[in-house]
Amino acid sequence: VVEFHLSRDGALEGRPKLINPSANPVEQARGEQADQAVRRCSPMHIPPEFMPYYEEALHEVTIRFQDAN
């Protein structure tokens, strides 16, 4: 699970934060990959029609990355 904050122009505000990071080396690598995925997507395009929802849904974002299996 990765938590991050977006500015109104879609840029990351600070670094993404891993929620409940694991001590398992495989899970640590997956966490780093999730962190990198979020950073690579910045700035994220926020369509104008979504801006009314910025404060309630887009400023603070939490995403759960899962294995494809």
Side-chain angles (χ1 to χ4, degrees), residues 3-65:
E3 180 182 277
F4 56 94
H5 296 90
L6 294 175
S7 66
R8 288 187 175 274
D9 66 357
L12 282 175
E13 293 180 339
R15 186 177 173 113
K17 177 182 177 185
L18 291 175
I19 306 299
N20 297 325
S22 174
N24 178 312
V26 172
E27 293 302 318
Q28 287 178 346
R30 287 182 179 172
E32 182 58 33
Q33 290 172 341
D35 177 83
Q36 290 173 6
V38 170
R39 287 188 282 129
R40 279 194 308 264
C41 291
S42 182
M44 298 179 191
H45 173 70
I46 301 174
E49 60 269 20
F50 291 167
M51 289 312 292
Y53 310 104
Y54 172 79
E55 288 299 328
E56 67 185 72
L58 297 172
H59 181 243
E60 184 174 306
V61 181
T62 303
I63 297 178
R64 175 182 295 275
F65 287 84

